Amino acid sequence: ALLAGPPELLGAPMKRFSPAELASRADGVFVARVATVGSHDSMSGATTWSDYSVELLDVLAGDFSTSLLTLSFADGGPDGGGGGVAGLPKLRVGQEYVFFWDGAPYRPCPAIGGQQGIFVEAVDPVLGEDQPLLVSLAGDPLWIDETGEIRRGERVVLEGDRVVSLAPNRRDP
């Protein structure tokens, strides 16, 4: 039998999307704070989905008629506890994120490129507290270059909202 599903969930490397590709593929881009986390079972009962209720703080692209949105991840487990599809991010209640949102229903992750499409403001000890960066949950920091274009840096390792090191394997998939 053939396995079906997104390559990153099957252990295959996923193409790293450029910031422009993330934006062009997204159905919306927004800043949101996680308000609550819950869970629900799929209709067949085969998968438990983690449901994150998020409060939209700033809509950068797209049309949203509500200030609250539920984002569901097929990572399973009660209240985001995991145990389902490996490799999906776990969001923290109270944390703010930038989402490049994939509006297609029933995807395992509601962000473009999975963890590549969800960003958190992080502090790099080298840059200091007064120069936070946006870093994807996949570890890709962003910055604006001298021409005004958004660029992606070398992958880093995050612990919460702090950069702790460069990623050990920095090869682009």
Side-chain angles (χ1 to χ4, degrees), residues 142-152:
L142 296 182
W143 80 92
I144 299 175
D145 71 11
E146 60 280 350
T147 68
E149 188 168 337
I150 298 174
R151 300 271 184 200
R152 183 183 56 220

Side-chain angles (χ1 to χ4, degrees), residues 40-49 76-77:
H40 76 276
D41 289 332
S42 63
M43 291 187 70
S44 69
T47 305
T48 300
W49 292 70

Side-chain angles (χ1 to χ4, degrees), residues 72-137:
S72 296
F73 294 75
D75 61 351
D79 300 326
V85 177
L88 293 180
K90 304 225 179 310
L91 306 180
R92 296 186 340 224
V93 172
Q95 179 69 53
E96 292 180 15
Y97 298 91
V98 177
F99 291 89
F100 285 78
W101 179 64
D102 181 349
Y106 309 115
R107 298 228 196 242
C109 181
I112 300 300
Q115 294 186 64
Q116 292 182 61
I118 305 171
F119 291 81
V120 65
E121 189 175 279
V123 173
D124 183 338
V126 174
L127 296 174
E129 299 279 336
D130 59 340
Q131 291 185 345
L133 341 153
L134 275 181
V135 179
S136 76
L137 297 184

Side-chain angles (χ1 to χ4, degrees), residues 3-89:
L3 291 174
E8 74 279 12
L9 303 179
L10 300 175
M14 180 175 213
K15 175 190 184 296
R16 278 179 91 188
F17 293 114
S18 71
E21 288 174 307
L22 287 174
S24 70
R25 291 171 175 256
D27 295 312
V29 180
F30 53 84
V31 179
R33 179 182 303 114
V34 176
T36 63
V37 61
S39 61
H40 76 276
D41 289 332
S42 63
M43 291 187 70
S44 69
T47 305
T48 300
W49 292 70
S50 294
D51 299 317
Y52 296 93
S53 175
V54 299
E55 174 189 4
L56 299 182
L57 303 174
D58 193 9
V59 175
L60 306 172
D63 185 24
F64 297 90
S65 60
T66 180
S67 63
L68 291 175
L69 194 62
T70 299
L71 304 176
S72 296
F73 294 75
D75 61 351
D79 300 326
V85 177
L88 293 180

